[in-house]
C-alpha cells in the first residue's frame, strides 16, 4: 500500500484528492439542502394554532382530517409563508454570490449597487402618487414599480459603465453614487408623503413575508427558474474569474461583457425578491459568505450553496419571526440577522481554527 | 384784559386734568394687566416643573391637532392665541383640518413651525413667532415631544416655557390633567371645570356599571385598517388598545404586543377568533378616490360613505373569515380618537358594542353631539363610528 502510494503519489493523489473534495462538497450541499427542508417542515408545523405534525401529515393523504379553518391555516397561511421565505432567500443568496464574484468584492450585496434602494424608490413612488399602471391589478402596482425601479437602476449603471469600459471601479463607484442619490430621493419622497403613505413606505422597508400568497410564490419561483440556467452557463467562467481578471481573460473570457450580463441577472433576481416582501438586507451578503466558507470558490458548489444558505437564513428567520412572540409577526428584515450572524461566525471561527 | 387773564388758566387746567385722567386710566389699565398676569409654577404631564406667567396670549403647538383641544376652552376661536403650529394636522386628518379652516380661515395662515415629525421642527421659526409658551405632546412622533431635550433646552433658554400635555400615552388618565393645565394656562378654569365634569360623569358611569361584570369579550382592534396590503396590524396595550379595557373588554393582543402596534399572525386570529372586531379608520370621504382601501370616518364623512367603505374593508381575505365579522360583531371607529379629549366618547361607543344589554340606555351619539355643542369650536359634521349592518349569516 505504501509502495503504491509512493509510486502514484504525484498524479494519483491529486486526482483522488479532487475527487474526495468534490464528494465532500456534494455531501455538504446535500446536508444543507436537508437542513433547509427540515426548517421548512418545521416552519409549516409551527404556529399558534397548535396543529400536530402528525395531523398535518395525515392531511396530505386525507384532507378531511382538517377543519375548514385548519386547512386554510395550512394551505393559505403557513405554506405560502414558508415557501416564500425559501425562494426569496435563495434569490437573494444567489444574487449576492454572483455579485461578489463579478465585482471581486466580498462586501458586495444587492444593497451595494443601489438595487434595494431603487426598488424602494419605485415602491415609494407607487405608494405616494398612487400609481396604478394600466392593466395591472391594483395590489400588484407597488411590486411592479419596485421591480421596474430595481431594473432601471442596474440599466443606468450598465449604460454609464459601458461608456467607460465596464471596469470594476467604474461599476462599483457608479453603484455607490447611485445608492446615495437614491437614498436622498427616497427621503425627499417621504418628506412630501402624507402620513398613511409614509407608514406604508416605512413598513415596506422593514421587509415582511406576511404578504406571501401562492401567486407570489409562483412568480418569484418562475423568475428564479428563468435565471438559473444563465447562472449555470456562467459557472465555469465565474470560477475562472475568481483567479483574477487577467487570468480569466487569458482563457478568452470577455470579463466586461459577462459582468454586465451577470449584473442584469442579479437585478432581476433581487428585484423579484424584494418586490413582494420589501427590503430584506443581510441575506444577500452573508449567504454567499457562508457558502464560500463551506464550499470554496468552485462555483458549481458555491452558487447552489449560496442559494441554499440564503434560503435557510430566511426560512430560519421566518420561524423566529413568528415564534419569538407567538401570535405576533416580527418583521423578517429585523430577524434575519439574528439567525444569520451566529451561523456565519460559527463557520468563520471553525475555518480560522483549521487554518491555524 | 383781566377777563382774558381769568379765562386763560381755565382751558389749560382742563387740558391738565385731561392729561392727568388719561394717565391715570393708562396706569390703571397697565396695572390691571400687570395684575391679571400671574406667575405660577405647574407640573406638566412629563412631571416637569414649569414656571410661567398666565394667562398666555401666544401659543405654539407641537401638534397641530391641539387646535381641536383648544376649542374646548376658546370656543369663540380656537386659533386666536396660536402664533405657530406643526403641520401634521393637515397631513394626518385632512378632512378635520379642512373643517377648521372652513370656520376659521385664518388657521390656514398660521405660520408652520414644522411639518409632520419631530425632525421637521424649526426652532428658528418657533422663536421668530415670539410665543409665550410651547405646548408639546407626550411621546408624540409627529412633532417635538417630552423627549426632545435639545429643543426644550433651546426654547427655555429663549425664555419660552414648554408645557407637555398628553392625550395619547395614557389617554384616559391624562386627559383630565391636561385639560386642567390648559385651563390654567389660558385663564379658562371655569370652562375647563365644566368639561372635566362632563368627561368624568361619562367615564365614571361606564366604570361603575362595569364593576363586577365578569364577562369581558375579547376584542381584535385593527390599526389603520386597509392601509397595508397584508393583514393586519393590531393595537397593543397602549394608545387605543387601552380603550378596550376601559370599555369592558380584553384586548386579544394586549399581552403580546410590546409597542403600540404590531403585525399579527393571521393564524392567531383564525385560531382564537376574538368576539368583537374593531377597525380604526384613517380614511375620509374626501380621499375615498385616492385611497379606496381605507375606511372613511370623521369630519365631513357621511353615513353612506362610511358604510360603503367599511363593508368593503370587511371583505378582505382574513377579515371576512373572522367569526366576529360573520356574526355581525364588527365595528369601525375614527382613528384619531387616540389623540383627543374626545376619547371618552369612543370609550362609550365601544362599551355599548361590547356590552349591548348593560349599556342599552347609553346613547354615544348623544354624547358626541353634546361634546360638539358644548365643547367644540366647530359643529358636528360627520360620522365617527359605524357598525356592520345586521344581516343573515354568511
Amino acid at each position: 500500500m505504501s509502495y503504491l502510494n509512493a509510486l502514484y503519489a504525484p498524479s494519483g493523489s491529486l486526482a483522488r484528492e479532487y475527487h474526495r473534495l468534490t464528494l465532500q462538497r456534494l455531501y455538504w450541499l446535500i446536508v444543507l439542502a436537508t437542513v433547509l427542508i427540515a426548517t421548512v417542515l418545521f416552519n409549516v408545523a409551527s404556529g399558534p394554532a397548535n396543529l400536530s405534525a402528525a395531523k398535518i401529515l395525515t392531511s396530505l393523504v386525507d384532507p378531511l382530517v382538517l377543519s375548514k379553518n385548519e386547512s386554510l391555516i395550512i394551505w393559505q397561511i403557513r405554506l405560502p409563508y414558508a415557501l416564500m421565505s425559501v425562494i426569496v432567500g435563495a434569490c437573494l443568496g444567489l444574487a449576492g454570490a454572483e455579485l461578489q464574484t463579478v465585482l471581486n468584492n466580498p462586501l458586495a450585496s444587492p444593497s451595494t449597487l443601489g438595487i434595494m434602494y431603487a426598488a424602494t424608490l419605485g415602491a415609494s413612488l407607487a405608494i405616494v402618487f398612487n400609481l396604478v399602471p394600466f392593466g395591472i391589478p391594483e395590489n400588484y402596482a407597488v411590486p411592479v414599480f419596485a421591480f421596474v425601479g430595481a431594473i432601471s437602476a442596474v440599466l443606468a449603471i450598465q449604460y454609464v459603465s459601458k461608456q467607460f469600459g465596464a471596469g470594476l471601479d467604474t461599476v462599483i463607484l457608479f453603484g455607490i453614487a447611485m445608492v446615495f442619490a437614491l437614498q436622498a430621493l427616497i427621503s425627499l419622497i417621504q418628506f412630501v408623503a402624507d402620513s398613511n403613505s409614509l407608514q406604508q413606505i416605512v413598513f415596506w422597508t422593514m421587509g415582511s413575508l406576511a404578504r406571501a400568497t401562492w401567486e407570489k410564490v409562483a412568480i418569484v419561483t418562475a423568475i428564479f427558474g428563468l435565471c438559473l440556467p444563465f447562472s449555470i452557463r456562467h459557472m465555469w467562467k465565474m470560477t475562472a474569474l475568481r483567479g483574477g481578471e487577467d487570468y480569466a481573460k487569458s482563457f478568452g473570457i470577455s470579463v466586461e461583457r459577462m459582468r454586465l450580463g451577470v449584473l442584469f441577472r442579479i437585478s432581476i433576481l433581487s428585484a423579484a425578491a424584494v418586490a413582494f416582501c420589501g427590503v430584506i438586507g443581510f441575506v444577500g451578503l452573508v449567504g454567499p459568505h457562508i457558502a464560500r466558507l463551506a464550499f470554496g470558490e468552485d462555483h458549481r458548489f458555491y452558487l447552489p450553496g449560496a442559494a441554499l444558505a440564503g434560503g435557510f437564513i430566511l426560512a430560519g428567520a421566518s420561524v423566529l419571526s413568528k415564534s419569538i412572540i407567538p401570535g405576533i409577526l416580527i418583521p423578517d428584515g429585523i430577524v434575519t440577522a439574528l439567525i444569520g450572524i451566529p451561523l456565519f461566525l460559527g463557520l468563520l471561527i471553525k475555518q480560522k481554527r483549521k487554518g491555524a | 384784559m383781566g377777563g382774558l387773564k381769568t379765562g386763560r388758566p381755565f382751558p389749560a387746567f382742563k387740558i391738565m386734568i385731561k392729561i392727568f385722567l388719561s394717565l391715570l386710566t393708562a396706569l390703571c389699565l397697565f396695572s390691571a394687566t400687570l395684575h391679571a398676569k400671574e406667575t405660577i409654577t405647574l407640573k406638566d404631564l412629563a412631571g416637569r416643573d414649569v414656571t410661567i406667567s398666565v394667562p398666555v396670549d401666544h401659543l405654539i403647538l407641537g401638534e397641530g391637532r391641539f387646535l381641536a383641544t383648544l376649542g374646548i376652552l376658546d370656543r369663540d376661536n380656537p386659533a386666536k392665541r396660536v402664533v405657530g403650529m406643526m403641520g401634521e394636522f393637515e397631513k394626518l386628518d385632512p378632512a378635520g383640518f379642512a373643517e377648521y379652516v372652513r370656520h376659521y380661515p385664518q388657521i390656514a395662515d398660521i405660520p408652520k413651525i414644522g411639518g409632520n415629525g419631530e425632525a421637521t421642527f424649526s426652532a428658528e421659526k418657533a422663536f421668530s413667532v415670539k410665543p409665550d409658551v410651547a405646548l408639546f405632546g407626550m411621546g408624540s412622533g409627529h412633532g417635538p415631544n417630552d423627549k426632545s431635550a435639545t429643543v426644550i433646552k433651546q426654547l427655555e433658554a429663549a425664555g419660552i416655557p414648554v408645557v407637555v400635555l398628553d392625550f395619547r400615552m395614557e389617554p384616559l388618565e391624562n386627559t383630565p390633567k391636561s385639560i386642567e393645565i390648559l385651563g390654567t394656562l389660558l385663564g379658562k378654569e371655569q370652562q375647563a371645570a365644566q368639561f372635566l365634569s362632563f368627561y368624568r360623569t361619562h367615564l365614571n358611569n361606564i366604570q361603575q356599571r362595569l364593576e363586577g361584570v365578569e364577562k369581558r369579550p375579547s376584542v381584535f382592534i385593527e390599526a389603520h385598517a386597509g392601509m397595508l396590503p397584508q393583514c393586519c396590524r393590531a393595537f397593543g396595550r397602549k394608545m387605543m388598545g387601552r380603550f378596550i379595557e376601559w370599555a369592558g373588554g380584553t384586548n386579544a393582543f394586549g399581552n403580546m404586543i410590546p409597542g403600540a402596534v404590531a403585525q399579527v399572525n393571521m393564524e392567531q386570529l383564525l385560531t382564537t377568533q376574538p368576539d368583537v372586531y374593531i377597525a380604526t379608520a384613517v380614511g375620509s370621504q374626501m380621499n375615498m378616490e385616492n385611497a379606496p382601501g381605507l375606511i372613511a370616518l370623521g369630519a365631513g364623512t357621511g353615513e353612506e360613505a362610511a358604510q360603503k367603505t367599511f363593508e368593503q374593508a370587511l371583505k378582505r381575505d382574513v377579515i371576512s373569515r373572522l367569526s366576529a365579522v360573520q356574526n355581525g360583531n364588527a365595528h369601525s371607529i375614527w382613528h384619531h380618537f387616540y389623540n383627543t379629549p374626545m376619547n371618552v366618547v369612543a370609550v362609550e361607543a365601544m362599551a355599548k358594542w361590547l356590552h349591548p344589554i348593560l349599556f342599552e340606555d347609553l346613547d354615544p351619539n348623544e354624547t358626541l353631539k353634546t361634546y360638539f355643542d358644548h365643547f367644540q369650536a366647530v359643529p358636528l359634521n360627520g360620522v365617527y363610528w359605524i357598525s356592520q349592518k345586521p344581516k343573515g349569516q354568511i
Side-chain angles (χ1 to χ4, degrees):
Chain A
M1 196 64 184
S2 65
Y3 167 76
L4 275 179
N5 258 351
L7 196 65
Y8 294 108
S11 59
S13 78
L14 198 64
R16 222 179 309 142
E17 184 66 13
Y18 174 75
H19 192 61
R20 193 187 64 77
L21 202 63
T22 311
L23 276 180
Q24 195 193 16
R25 285 173 174 170
L26 205 61
Y27 167 75
W28 281 112
L29 216 52
I30 292 167
V31 169
L32 192 53
T34 317
V35 172
L36 177 61
I37 292 169
T39 313
V40 172
L41 289 179
F42 181 72
N43 199 349
V44 175
S46 61
N50 274 333
L51 282 161
S52 71
K55 198 170 182 186
I56 296 171
L57 284 177
T58 331
S59 78
L60 292 177
V61 191
D62 177 16
L64 291 177
V65 294
L66 295 178
S67 72
K68 202 177 147 202
N69 226 352
E70 287 170 336
S71 92
L72 186 83
I73 286 170
I74 298 290
W75 291 98
Q76 299 304 327
I77 296 176
R78 286 192 191 177
L79 264 173
Y81 179 77
L83 294 178
M84 192 75 169
S85 71
V86 174
I87 194 67
V88 167
C91 280
L92 291 172
L94 183 63
E98 293 192 30
L99 200 59
Q100 291 184 1
T101 297
V102 294
L103 295 183
N104 189 28
N105 191 333
L107 287 178
S109 78
S111 318
T112 322
L113 292 186
I115 300 175
M116 289 282 188
Y117 299 101
T120 308
L121 181 66
S124 309
L125 283 172
I127 291 169
V128 172
F129 299 107
N130 232 335
L131 305 171
V132 181
F134 187 72
I136 292 175
E138 203 184 307
N139 51 340
Y140 277 92
V142 173
V144 164
F145 270 88
F147 193 82
V148 170
I151 306 272
S152 340
V154 171
L155 286 180
I157 294 173
Q158 295 215 344
Y159 176 77
V160 180
S161 320
K162 248 186 197 163
Q163 312 295 314
F164 299 96
L168 209 54
D169 298 348
T170 327
V171 174
I172 292 183
L173 286 175
F174 276 122
I176 289 175
M178 199 78 130
V179 168
F180 287 105
L182 289 167
Q183 277 180 333
L185 284 175
I186 293 165
S187 304
L188 187 68
I189 289 189
Q190 292 188 345
F191 187 73
V192 299
D194 64 57
S195 79
N196 291 344
S197 309
L198 187 64
Q199 287 233 25
Q200 285 183 52
I201 297 173
V202 169
F203 203 76
W204 200 86
T205 56
M206 280 205 275
S208 163
L209 294 163
R211 288 157 242 189
T213 61
W214 282 108
E215 209 171 46
K216 292 173 182 171
V217 172
I219 292 173
V220 182
T221 311
I223 291 173
F224 183 76
L226 279 178
C227 290
L228 204 57
F230 294 97
S231 298
I232 293 170
R233 222 187 69 169
H234 277 148
M235 220 145 56
W236 286 109
K237 288 183 181 177
M238 282 195 277
T239 309
L241 187 57
R242 289 302 297 150
E245 209 159 308
D246 294 333
Y247 177 75
K249 278 181 181 158
S250 75
F251 280 112
I253 298 168
S254 164
V255 175
E256 283 79 14
R257 235 190 93 188
M258 185 178 82
R259 182 171 293 138
L260 293 181
V262 171
L263 277 182
F264 187 65
R265 190 165 64 235
I266 290 164
S267 74
I268 293 182
L269 274 173
S270 20
V274 299
F276 293 118
C277 297
V279 176
I280 293 177
F282 184 78
V283 178
L285 177 68
V286 172
H289 279 283
I290 290 172
R292 194 174 295 120
L293 289 169
F295 305 108
E297 300 288 0
D298 185 342
H299 279 54
R300 285 177 304 163
F301 301 103
Y302 168 59
L303 290 187
L308 286 175
F312 170 72
I313 295 174
L314 208 49
S318 75
V319 174
L320 273 188
S321 152
K322 65 178 183 182
S323 30
I324 291 179
I325 309 174
I328 299 295
L329 295 177
I330 295 167
D332 300 270
I334 297 173
V335 197
T336 38
L338 294 180
I339 182 106
I341 290 286
L343 194 67
F344 176 59
L345 287 180
L347 277 167
L348 198 66
I349 290 165
K350 204 175 147 202
Q351 205 200 36
K352 293 283 171 207
R353 273 206 194 126
K354 240 188 210 169
Chain B
M1 216 164 130
L4 272 173
K5 264 183 185 172
T6 49
R8 257 184 201 159
F10 202 47
F13 182 65
K14 242 182 170 174
I15 289 168
M16 272 172 69
I17 285 188
K18 260 188 183 166
I19 291 173
F20 176 74
L21 277 178
S22 48
L23 268 177
L24 197 69
T25 338
L27 196 70
C28 279
L29 278 175
F30 184 62
S31 65
T33 44
L34 261 189
H35 198 72
K37 286 265 183 195
E38 181 192 358
T39 302
I40 56 157
T41 300
L42 54 85
K43 210 178 246 322
D44 74 0
L45 270 293
R48 303 161 55 251
D49 286 316
V50 185
T51 305
I52 186 169
S53 91
V54 291
V56 293
D57 298 316
H58 303 106
L59 300 166
I60 52 171
L61 307 182
E63 285 186 36
R65 282 176 291 177
F66 283 157
L67 264 183
T69 308
L70 290 176
I72 295 175
L73 304 170
D74 283 339
R75 282 199 62 211
D76 50 335
N77 180 357
K80 68 179 182 190
R81 307 183 207 228
V82 181
V83 291
M85 63 180 204
M86 292 294 284
E88 104 290 349
F89 190 6
E90 203 171 342
K91 288 198 170 186
L92 296 173
D93 178 18
F97 184 76
E99 186 71 8
Y100 272 87
V101 172
R102 198 157 67 86
H103 288 93
Y104 306 96
Q106 78 269 29
I107 288 178
D109 304 325
I110 295 176
K112 295 279 183 306
I113 54 172
N116 178 18
E118 191 195 346
T120 62
F121 174 77
S122 160
E124 190 177 325
K125 186 75 198 166
F127 293 154
S128 75
V129 297
K130 299 195 172 64
D132 301 332
V133 64
L135 302 179
F136 286 3
M138 189 144 82
S140 168
H142 297 294
N145 54 60
D146 55 313
K147 301 277 188 312
S148 314
T150 315
V151 171
I152 293 178
K153 215 170 262 173
Q154 283 172 340
L155 286 171
E156 280 172 347
I160 304 166
V162 175
V163 175
V164 176
L165 304 177
D166 179 39
F167 305 100
R168 167 192 283 110
M169 304 309 284
E170 293 291 346
L172 300 156
E173 282 108 37
N174 284 349
T175 294
K177 295 179 198 164
S178 300
I179 293 292
E180 209 163 339
I181 290 176
L182 213 50
T184 315
L185 287 180
L186 304 185
K188 292 280 180 105
E189 289 89 348
Q190 205 186 338
Q191 182 72 5
Q194 275 171 18
F195 175 77
L196 289 180
S197 129
F198 161 83
Y199 191 89
R200 290 193 173 119
T201 312
H202 283 271
L203 209 54
N204 289 346
N205 176 29
I206 296 170
Q207 297 316 308
Q208 278 161 13
R209 286 209 217 173
L210 280 172
E211 260 171 42
V213 173
E214 291 290 319
K215 201 179 158 296
R216 306 263 163 159
S218 65
V219 180
F220 164 44
I221 178 161
E222 186 190 0
H224 319 102
M227 195 170 80
L228 297 175
Q230 73 274 21
C231 168
C232 311
R233 291 200 298 169
F235 270 116
R237 242 178 308 181
K238 293 176 189 161
M239 291 165 77
M240 230 157 162
R242 180 133 308 176
F243 291 17
I244 305 285
E245 290 153 34
W246 285 74
T250 35
N251 185 348
F253 291 94
N255 295 327
M256 298 176 187
I257 298 175
V261 176
Q263 173 86 25
V264 305
N265 193 342
M266 296 176 274
E267 188 179 329
Q268 174 79 12
L269 277 177
L270 292 174
T271 312
T272 54
Q273 292 287 9
D275 300 322
V276 179
Y277 166 71
I278 299 176
T280 74
V282 285
S284 71
Q285 195 165 336
M286 225 168 82
N287 66 3
M288 264 167 74
E289 309 258 301
N290 286 330
L294 305 176
I295 302 171
L297 280 176
T301 298
E303 180 95 31
E304 199 182 322
Q307 195 75 46
K308 193 177 140 207
T309 49
F310 180 47
E311 298 290 339
Q312 201 64 38
L314 290 180
K315 287 188 188 135
R316 285 173 301 153
D317 196 22
V318 174
I319 299 299
S320 65
R321 296 175 203 269
L322 293 178
S323 56
V325 174
Q326 293 175 355
N327 298 337
N329 283 325
H331 314 272
S332 179
I333 196 152
W334 185 54
H335 181 80
H336 298 285
F337 270 120
Y338 86 88
N339 191 22
T340 152
M342 205 157 114
N343 48 36
V344 63
V345 193
V347 173
E348 214 170 80
M350 286 182 182
K352 197 171 164 98
W353 292 336
L354 301 182
H355 302 278
I357 298 165
L358 185 66
F359 293 110
E360 202 179 2
D361 59 325
L362 199 69
D363 189 355
N365 282 308
E366 193 54 44
T367 315
L368 184 69
K369 207 173 161 299
T370 313
Y371 180 81
F372 271 90
D373 286 350
H374 294 275
F375 304 109
Q376 282 292 270
V378 293
L380 173 61
N381 166 27
V383 181
Y384 283 81
W385 56 77
I386 192 112
S387 292
Q388 207 175 1
K389 274 231 169 91
K391 58 180 170 192
Q393 299 259 338
I394 298 166

